[in-house]
Amino acid sequence: MSFLSALFGSKNTTETGNIVILDKTDYATAISGPKVQLVDVRTPSEYNGGHIKKAINIDFFNVVNFKAAFEKLDKTRPVYVYCRSGARSQKAARKLVAMGFNEIYDLRGGYNAWN
């Protein structure tokens, strides 16, 4: 059981290995800290059309840059990902597990659910 699952309970979360899917409310609470690793995995044009405050953009479809950019993040700290609807960020989360990240949180419904 992850820290957030223990904190928020399992009603609003779905856990798959190292990946926890949070609803909008729990995600907003989780990313409210000062040094959160928050990543928008949409394309730059999607990101420029609106994104969650403090999110950095690492395009899932730019394979070379995706890996290089995530290698710069701290694998020992939680990373929060989101995309437009949740499908891309789930694929990204699985890649992050393979890259050695231990705690990945995904926004249920993606940016569409955020607005």
Side-chain angles (χ1 to χ4, degrees), residues 56-102:
I56 61 170
N57 183 221
I58 301 175
D59 184 356
F60 175 77
F61 294 122
N62 186 332
V63 179
V64 174
N65 185 59
F66 180 88
K67 184 171 168 73
F70 272 105
E71 287 292 344
K72 295 176 184 175
L73 297 182
D74 185 346
K75 292 179 182 178
T76 65
R77 291 181 40 230
V79 63
Y80 297 85
V81 294
Y82 71 91
C83 64
R84 181 181 52 83
S85 64
R88 231 178 311 174
S89 56
Q90 270 298 288
K91 291 176 186 173
R94 287 192 291 274
K95 282 188 174 192
L96 296 179
V97 169
M99 290 174 65
F101 285 85
N102 296 317

Side-chain angles (χ1 to χ4, degrees), residues 1-48:
M1 178 184 279
S2 73
F3 169 74
L4 283 178
S5 293
L7 183 65
F8 297 117
S10 59
K11 184 178 96 180
N12 299 321
T13 64
T14 305
E15 199 166 336
T16 309
N18 298 0
I19 305 165
V20 179
I21 302 170
L22 299 173
D23 71 3
K24 176 184 173 178
T25 304
D26 292 344
Y27 196 88
T29 301
I31 64 170
S32 64
K35 290 191 174 186
V36 173
Q37 298 186 116
L38 176 61
V39 182
D40 182 326
V41 297
R42 299 176 301 160
T43 64
S45 63
E46 289 174 299
Y47 177 85
N48 290 333

